[in-house]
Amino acid sequence: MRFINTKTLIFTEGAVEKYQNQYAILSHTWKDEEELTYQDFLNLDKAQLLRSIDAQTLGLGLEKILKSCAIARSKDIQYLWVDTCCIDKRDKAELDESLNSMFNWYKQAKVCYAFLSDVERSAKDREFAFEHSRWFTRGWTLQELLAPTHLVFLDRSWNEIGTKETFKGQISSATYIKENHLFGNFQSACIATKMSWAAKRETRRPEDIAYCLLGIFGVNMPIQYGEGQNAFIRLQKVLLTETPDESIFSWTKEGIKSHGLLASSPDYFESSRAVTIKPKRCKPRPPYRLTNQGLEWPFPNFFLDVQHGADWNNLVAMSRKHITITLNSWQTEQSKENHGLMKHLGLEKYKNTITIHLRKSKNGQWQRVDCDKEYHSMHVESSGNPLTGTNIKYIYITL
């Protein structure tokens, strides 16, 4: 990890563990044409910069670095990390390590300064302006909100306007993240809920909407700029191998009737903020696995028209061309459709379970359909007779 010495402006390198709780870290929104790269900052005359009186005349990119150094120095913090100039992005190995480690770097910092370039402390409705800052719309700032133990907000004039603690209500309102998840407890949230926090956030490059979530999910994967939307699909495949949390399938998208099992973007999870999982109420499903034919989904031995005594997450409505499967996830809000079915089956306490609907394609694979519906009730389509007593052990679902 590469730091800026706040007194000399010279780079210092070392393992993050050696400098834990000894450095400040900057969170900000980028303005591409003004940001300084590693090479730019390396070539600057540091002695002249230390003599500079008005940092604003040097451009916003350099101003952010110098102002952050000055604030950290005033708090007796010797080192600063800034994402624009402390990573040599020409070095792919360094870039890979940095993006996979960045969440931990924000977590290990003594303090994180979040610079809000569009918020002014003297504004009449400061709280309104705070909630509508561009900082809350960017992908990378999500981890920069969740990871730090101590997060301080600075306005456009570099005045301290509050902390994550003092602004927790406004932050929760702006981000839809519950207050208890803002302070180190967010790992208890399910995949769908975490994805919903990233919905509608933007990144400079399409791949970054996946890479900025690595630390939040506690996973690593190679960085491959140029892969576009596939980065988000790749992230979900990694999650499939790491956890039995089936809320990863609990997404909807208006206007889409059929789709692969995995979402194309965090935006698909926008309506999944109320989703949760309760593993203790679930009998573990046999593991599924990724294949060249899609996701091999283990098939339960229970059908609605055969018996009513199995565990809820083995409930399946099936015909020759359609399947509806329950997931091990719940919506905390009432679902009238599922309520009626579960009451009929004597499983009313599971009325908020989430289901997905699949249709068999011509190549024999199954594809998710009715993706534009909020959640789906159990039903067997009239097309084809129910497959009672069938001996299917698994199906392949298009990803």
Side-chain angles (χ1 to χ4, degrees), residues 247-388:
S247 73
I248 192 173
F249 309 122
S250 301
W251 56 265
T252 60
K253 184 62 175 176
E254 185 177 353
I256 294 182
K257 295 294 184 182
S258 62
H259 196 278
L261 193 58
L262 301 180
S264 299
S265 156
D267 292 352
Y268 286 37
F269 291 90
E270 186 178 9
S271 63
S272 301
R273 299 183 184 115
V275 172
T276 186
I277 59 169
K278 298 181 180 178
K280 292 182 180 180
R281 286 172 59 180
C282 310
K283 180 180 179 180
R285 196 191 302 274
Y288 35 66
R289 66 186 183 93
L290 299 171
T291 75
N292 59 359
Q293 297 185 53
L295 185 70
E296 184 182 275
W297 188 283
F299 215 73
N301 298 318
F302 171 65
F303 301 94
L304 288 180
D305 52 333
V306 177
Q307 65 183 77
H308 293 165
D311 292 283
W312 74 269
N313 59 321
N314 279 341
L315 290 177
V316 171
M318 182 172 183
S319 71
R320 295 187 182 277
K321 292 184 179 180
H322 295 83
I323 300 175
T324 304
I325 302 177
T326 57
L327 303 177
N328 67 358
S329 43
W330 279 257
Q331 50 176 328
T332 56
E333 299 171 356
Q334 292 288 331
S335 170
K336 293 181 180 179
E337 290 181 332
N338 280 4
H339 188 184
L341 171 85
M342 296 303 176
K343 185 176 182 179
H344 173 72
L345 295 177
L347 298 171
E348 188 173 2
K349 65 180 179 178
Y350 301 126
K351 58 182 175 293
N352 291 338
T353 56
I354 297 174
T355 60
I356 56 173
H357 191 193
L358 308 175
R359 182 175 61 205
K360 195 172 186 178
S361 61
K362 293 181 180 179
N363 64 5
Q365 289 183 317
W366 295 81
Q367 188 170 34
R368 185 174 168 184
V369 293
D370 293 337
C371 304
D372 56 342
K373 294 184 179 178
E374 189 78 12
Y375 297 104
H376 315 297
S377 60
M378 284 281 198
H379 65 281
V380 177
E381 294 286 337
S382 59
S383 57
N385 297 320
L387 295 179
T388 56

Side-chain angles (χ1 to χ4, degrees), residues 4-5 8-11 36-46 49 62 65-66 69 85-86:
I4 301 171
N5 185 304
T8 66
L9 303 183
I10 302 298
F11 282 131
L36 268 68
T37 65
Y38 165 72
Q39 294 78 27
D40 293 334
F41 191 75
L42 194 64
N43 294 329
L44 291 174
D45 184 336
K46 308 302 190 301
L49 289 177
L62 183 53
I65 297 171
L66 296 182
C69 280
C85 65
C86 290

